[in-house]
Amino acid sequence: MASTMRVLLLLLGLVRNSNSNGGSSRARAAPTPTILYVDATNGNDNNTGTDAGAPLLTCMGALKRVAGLSTVVAATRANNEGEPTAAANAERRLQLPPGGVEVRISAGTYRYTAASACCMATSCGGTPIAGTEQSPLVIRGMPDPGGHSAGAGVVFDGGLKLNASLLRPVTNATARAILNPAARDKVLAMPLVLPPHVHPSIFQWNGIPAMPSRWPNTGLGYVSKVWDEGAVYVTGRTKGPPPHYSREDPIGGNFTLATMPTGDWAGELATVGFGTPIFSGYFANDWYAESHTAARVGVGMGAGTSPATANASMSVKFEEWSRYGICMAIEGGCQGAPGRFTVSGLLSEVDVPGEWWYSSAQQMLYIYPPPASHATRDAAVGDGAAVPLPTLSTPLAGTLMTLGGSSYVTVRDITMTGSTETLATITGGDHNTVGGCTLKNSVGSYFM
């Protein structure tokens, strides 16, 4: 019995010694994160953001607040010999407080400005985050009061919002003559002055993308007969300067389309201030995509068009030279390329719901409202219907979120839309996570 008691006392002594040296028979509670609140309606970036009743206004405002809560440390990247690099010595990162930081973004639309974009990289003027597994940075969209799922109502929007009340039926006689008769009374128009750097490629009608007009509406167009391969020039390989060309003096290839389009391409091309056909596809090699401007289009224009086929085909003459020319044997198969392409840039091809065409010369947008939008279309043309006007916008912003050289950052449950560049980028760093986010309706890459 005595020996048993002695063993028990020794064991109790070991436990007591372990506790006195910082050990514990129970796991220590992990430190809780610092919470920052962001609200698009009630926020102010001059607030501290730690009180839900006094939130911040923008994601960048929250990140500046994160910087104030953190310690600036030197980056730890090293070269192959294990020595810190010069770039690492020059770069600083934010060491988060114990438990890290959680940025809770309330439901709402957060309009992009260069000063409000989420920047966590030196490339955009921010500071990378040096998080850890125990002290991460979490940026999350919160559920909206209507009960939608997290992030459903949190939108980072870089789009240019347009005044949809200006939409009207097309009344300009020239434009009506160019429009396809089947779409003439369904297409709407509005004056629109875009910033110089904005080249529209998507418009959104109540969040539904409307795409540039194209022919054919589905599938591809094909070459049926090549009359002239056109001038060939390869920069750095062909001797002499590039050959001169113009719309009045075109030097490109000449071919006939396999299918006759219904739009009045020739009439539109001949009308100042309206569209020019742009052909994009494969004309010589199956691996070489190219785009060309049509200088001339017309029925029976081919160099060898016979009277029997003149009224049933359309021929095209490209304005400029090409790298390989148009394969003369294309109708018989030319290295596997059947001469396939699409055509864009024409008002006359705005002929199905969800298409648009913009004239920079007229500063006028023509749009055929997308499907399932008839009610808002009726309201837009001012017939007195008790229906809200559509929300109409086009991408305008740069990158909405940049994460570079950071670690242990999580971005979740946020919708990002309306960029003319890459919506969000992550470069370098480690243990970063993006989840539950929706990226949509932008011109460049969605994520890199």
Side-chain angles (χ1 to χ4, degrees), residues 222-227 255-256 282-285 325-341:
Y222 293 90
V223 171
S224 66
K225 180 68 178 178
V226 178
W227 304 107
F255 60 91
T256 300
Y282 301 85
F283 297 94
N285 299 292
I326 300 176
C327 180
M328 294 296 291
I330 207 163
E331 62 271 20
C334 181
Q335 298 186 29
R340 61 194 189 278
F341 54 86

Short mmCIF file of all heavy atoms in Angstrom, two decimals, residues 222-227 255-256 282-285 325-341:
data_model
loop_
_atom_site.label_atom_id
_atom_site.label_comp_id
_atom_site.label_asym_id
_atom_site.label_seq_id
_atom_site.Cartn_x
_atom_site.Cartn_y
_atom_site.Cartn_z
N TYR A 222 -18.70 30.32 -92.85
CA TYR A 222 -17.67 29.58 -93.59
C TYR A 222 -17.39 30.21 -94.94
O TYR A 222 -18.27 30.86 -95.54
CB TYR A 222 -18.09 28.12 -93.78
CG TYR A 222 -18.15 27.34 -92.49
CD1 TYR A 222 -19.32 27.28 -91.74
CD2 TYR A 222 -17.02 26.69 -92.00
CE1 TYR A 222 -19.37 26.59 -90.54
CE2 TYR A 222 -17.05 25.99 -90.81
CZ TYR A 222 -18.23 25.95 -90.08
OH TYR A 222 -18.27 25.27 -88.88
N VAL A 223 -16.17 30.01 -95.41
CA VAL A 223 -15.76 30.44 -96.75
C VAL A 223 -16.17 29.36 -97.75
O VAL A 223 -15.97 28.16 -97.51
CB VAL A 223 -14.24 30.64 -96.80
CG1 VAL A 223 -13.77 30.85 -98.24
CG2 VAL A 223 -13.83 31.80 -95.92
N SER A 224 -16.76 29.78 -98.87
CA SER A 224 -17.10 28.79 -99.90
C SER A 224 -16.12 28.82 -101.07
O SER A 224 -15.84 27.80 -101.67
CB SER A 224 -18.52 29.03 -100.42
OG SER A 224 -18.60 30.25 -101.12
N LYS A 225 -15.60 30.00 -101.39
CA LYS A 225 -14.67 30.11 -102.52
C LYS A 225 -13.72 31.27 -102.30
O LYS A 225 -14.13 32.36 -101.89
CB LYS A 225 -15.46 30.35 -103.82
CG LYS A 225 -14.61 30.48 -105.08
CD LYS A 225 -13.94 29.16 -105.43
CE LYS A 225 -13.13 29.27 -106.72
NZ LYS A 225 -12.44 28.00 -107.04
N VAL A 226 -12.43 31.02 -102.52
CA VAL A 226 -11.41 32.07 -102.39
C VAL A 226 -11.02 32.53 -103.78
O VAL A 226 -10.62 31.74 -104.64
CB VAL A 226 -10.17 31.55 -101.63
CG1 VAL A 226 -9.10 32.63 -101.55
CG2 VAL A 226 -10.55 31.08 -100.24
N TRP A 227 -11.13 33.85 -104.02
CA TRP A 227 -10.76 34.41 -105.32
C TRP A 227 -9.36 34.98 -105.31
O TRP A 227 -8.69 35.01 -106.35
CB TRP A 227 -11.75 35.52 -105.69
CG TRP A 227 -13.18 35.06 -105.71
CD1 TRP A 227 -14.14 35.35 -104.80
CD2 TRP A 227 -13.78 34.18 -106.66
NE1 TRP A 227 -15.32 34.73 -105.11
CE2 TRP A 227 -15.13 34.00 -106.26
CE3 TRP A 227 -13.32 33.53 -107.80
CZ2 TRP A 227 -16.01 33.21 -106.97
CZ3 TRP A 227 -14.20 32.74 -108.52
CH2 TRP A 227 -15.53 32.58 -108.10
N PHE A 255 -13.05 36.64 -100.90
CA PHE A 255 -13.67 35.33 -100.88
C PHE A 255 -15.18 35.48 -100.84
O PHE A 255 -15.73 36.56 -100.61
CB PHE A 255 -13.18 34.51 -99.67
CG PHE A 255 -13.48 35.17 -98.34
CD1 PHE A 255 -14.65 34.90 -97.65
CD2 PHE A 255 -12.58 36.06 -97.77
CE1 PHE A 255 -14.93 35.49 -96.44
CE2 PHE A 255 -12.85 36.67 -96.55
CZ PHE A 255 -14.02 36.39 -95.88
N THR A 256 -15.87 34.36 -101.04
CA THR A 256 -17.33 34.33 -101.02
C THR A 256 -17.80 33.55 -99.80
O THR A 256 -17.22 32.52 -99.45
CB THR A 256 -17.87 33.66 -102.29
OG1 THR A 256 -17.43 34.42 -103.42
CG2 THR A 256 -19.39 33.61 -102.29
N TYR A 282 -10.34 31.67 -88.59
CA TYR A 282 -9.20 30.93 -89.14
C TYR A 282 -9.33 30.92 -90.66
O TYR A 282 -10.26 30.35 -91.22
CB TYR A 282 -9.20 29.50 -88.59
CG TYR A 282 -9.12 29.46 -87.08
CD1 TYR A 282 -10.27 29.58 -86.30
CD2 TYR A 282 -7.89 29.33 -86.44
CE1 TYR A 282 -10.19 29.57 -84.92
CE2 TYR A 282 -7.81 29.31 -85.05
CZ TYR A 282 -8.96 29.43 -84.30
OH TYR A 282 -8.88 29.42 -82.94
N PHE A 283 -8.35 31.53 -91.33
CA PHE A 283 -8.43 31.67 -92.78
C PHE A 283 -7.27 31.00 -93.51
O PHE A 283 -7.29 30.91 -94.73
CB PHE A 283 -8.45 33.16 -93.15
CG PHE A 283 -9.66 33.88 -92.63
CD1 PHE A 283 -9.62 34.55 -91.42
CD2 PHE A 283 -10.86 33.85 -93.32
CE1 PHE A 283 -10.74 35.19 -90.92
CE2 PHE A 283 -11.99 34.49 -92.83
CZ PHE A 283 -11.92 35.16 -91.62
N ALA A 284 -6.25 30.55 -92.78
CA ALA A 284 -5.11 29.92 -93.43
C ALA A 284 -4.69 28.64 -92.72
O ALA A 284 -4.51 27.61 -93.34
CB ALA A 284 -3.93 30.90 -93.50
N ASN A 285 -4.52 28.73 -91.43
CA ASN A 285 -4.08 27.59 -90.63
C ASN A 285 -5.01 27.39 -89.45
O ASN A 285 -5.52 28.36 -88.86
CB ASN A 285 -2.65 27.80 -90.12
CG ASN A 285 -1.67 27.96 -91.25
OD1 ASN A 285 -1.40 27.02 -92.00
ND2 ASN A 285 -1.12 29.16 -91.41
N GLY A 325 -2.04 34.97 -95.65
CA GLY A 325 -2.99 35.01 -96.75
C GLY A 325 -4.17 34.09 -96.49
O GLY A 325 -4.22 33.39 -95.48
N ILE A 326 -5.15 34.13 -97.37
CA ILE A 326 -6.28 33.21 -97.27
C ILE A 326 -5.97 32.02 -98.17
O ILE A 326 -5.71 32.17 -99.36
CB ILE A 326 -7.58 33.89 -97.72
CG1 ILE A 326 -7.86 35.10 -96.84
CG2 ILE A 326 -8.75 32.91 -97.64
CD1 ILE A 326 -9.06 35.88 -97.25
N CYS A 327 -5.98 30.85 -97.59
CA CYS A 327 -5.58 29.66 -98.33
C CYS A 327 -6.43 29.48 -99.57
O CYS A 327 -7.67 29.41 -99.51
CB CYS A 327 -5.70 28.43 -97.42
SG CYS A 327 -5.23 26.91 -98.26
N MET A 328 -5.79 29.42 -100.75
CA MET A 328 -6.53 29.32 -102.01
C MET A 328 -7.27 28.00 -102.14
O MET A 328 -8.25 27.91 -102.88
CB MET A 328 -5.57 29.49 -103.19
CG MET A 328 -4.95 30.88 -103.29
SD MET A 328 -6.18 32.17 -103.61
CE MET A 328 -6.68 31.77 -105.28
N ALA A 329 -6.82 26.99 -101.42
CA ALA A 329 -7.48 25.67 -101.51
C ALA A 329 -8.41 25.46 -100.33
O ALA A 329 -8.70 24.33 -99.97
CB ALA A 329 -6.43 24.57 -101.57
N ILE A 330 -8.90 26.56 -99.76
CA ILE A 330 -9.64 26.43 -98.50
C ILE A 330 -10.92 25.63 -98.65
O ILE A 330 -11.34 24.91 -97.75
CB ILE A 330 -9.94 27.84 -97.94
CG1 ILE A 330 -10.08 27.77 -96.41
CG2 ILE A 330 -11.16 28.48 -98.57
CD1 ILE A 330 -9.98 29.12 -95.73
N GLU A 331 -11.57 25.74 -99.83
CA GLU A 331 -12.82 25.00 -99.99
C GLU A 331 -12.59 23.50 -100.09
O GLU A 331 -13.50 22.70 -99.90
CB GLU A 331 -13.58 25.49 -101.23
CG GLU A 331 -12.83 25.28 -102.53
CD GLU A 331 -11.94 26.47 -102.88
OE1 GLU A 331 -11.61 27.26 -101.98
OE2 GLU A 331 -11.56 26.58 -104.06
N GLY A 332 -11.35 23.09 -100.38
CA GLY A 332 -11.03 21.67 -100.44
C GLY A 332 -10.33 21.18 -99.20
O GLY A 332 -9.92 20.02 -99.12
N GLY A 333 -10.15 22.07 -98.23
CA GLY A 333 -9.43 21.70 -97.01
C GLY A 333 -8.02 22.23 -97.07
O GLY A 333 -7.25 21.89 -97.96
N CYS A 334 -7.67 23.12 -96.16
CA CYS A 334 -6.35 23.74 -96.17
C CYS A 334 -5.70 23.52 -94.81
O CYS A 334 -6.01 24.25 -93.86
CB CYS A 334 -6.48 25.23 -96.48
SG CYS A 334 -4.90 26.10 -96.53
N GLN A 335 -4.86 22.51 -94.71
CA GLN A 335 -4.21 22.17 -93.45
C GLN A 335 -5.24 22.04 -92.33
O GLN A 335 -5.02 22.46 -91.20
CB GLN A 335 -3.15 23.21 -93.09
CG GLN A 335 -2.03 23.31 -94.12
CD GLN A 335 -0.93 24.25 -93.68
OE1 GLN A 335 -0.69 24.43 -92.48
NE2 GLN A 335 -0.24 24.84 -94.63
N GLY A 336 -6.41 21.53 -92.67
CA GLY A 336 -7.43 21.29 -91.67
C GLY A 336 -8.27 22.50 -91.34
O GLY A 336 -9.18 22.41 -90.52
N ALA A 337 -7.98 23.67 -91.94
CA ALA A 337 -8.76 24.87 -91.63
C ALA A 337 -9.84 25.08 -92.67
O ALA A 337 -9.55 25.32 -93.84
CB ALA A 337 -7.83 26.09 -91.58
N PRO A 338 -11.12 24.99 -92.28
CA PRO A 338 -12.19 25.13 -93.27
C PRO A 338 -12.61 26.57 -93.52
O PRO A 338 -13.62 26.82 -94.15
CB PRO A 338 -13.34 24.35 -92.61
CG PRO A 338 -13.12 24.54 -91.15
CD PRO A 338 -11.63 24.59 -90.96
N GLY A 339 -11.84 27.56 -93.04
CA GLY A 339 -12.21 28.95 -93.24
C GLY A 339 -13.44 29.30 -92.42
O GLY A 339 -14.47 29.67 -92.96
N ARG A 340 -13.33 29.21 -91.12
CA ARG A 340 -14.46 29.45 -90.25
C ARG A 340 -14.24 30.73 -89.46
O ARG A 340 -13.12 31.06 -89.08
CB ARG A 340 -14.67 28.26 -89.32
CG ARG A 340 -13.52 27.96 -88.38
CD ARG A 340 -13.68 26.58 -87.75
NE ARG A 340 -12.72 26.35 -86.69
CZ ARG A 340 -11.48 25.95 -86.88
NH1 ARG A 340 -11.05 25.74 -88.12
NH2 ARG A 340 -10.67 25.75 -85.86
N PHE A 341 -15.33 31.43 -89.16
CA PHE A 341 -15.19 32.75 -88.57
C PHE A 341 -16.52 33.23 -88.00
O PHE A 341 -17.58 32.62 -88.23
CB PHE A 341 -14.71 33.75 -89.63
CG PHE A 341 -15.60 33.78 -90.85
CD1 PHE A 341 -16.73 34.58 -90.89
CD2 PHE A 341 -15.32 32.98 -91.95
CE1 PHE A 341 -17.56 34.58 -91.99
CE2 PHE A 341 -16.15 32.98 -93.06
CZ PHE A 341 -17.28 33.78 -93.08
#
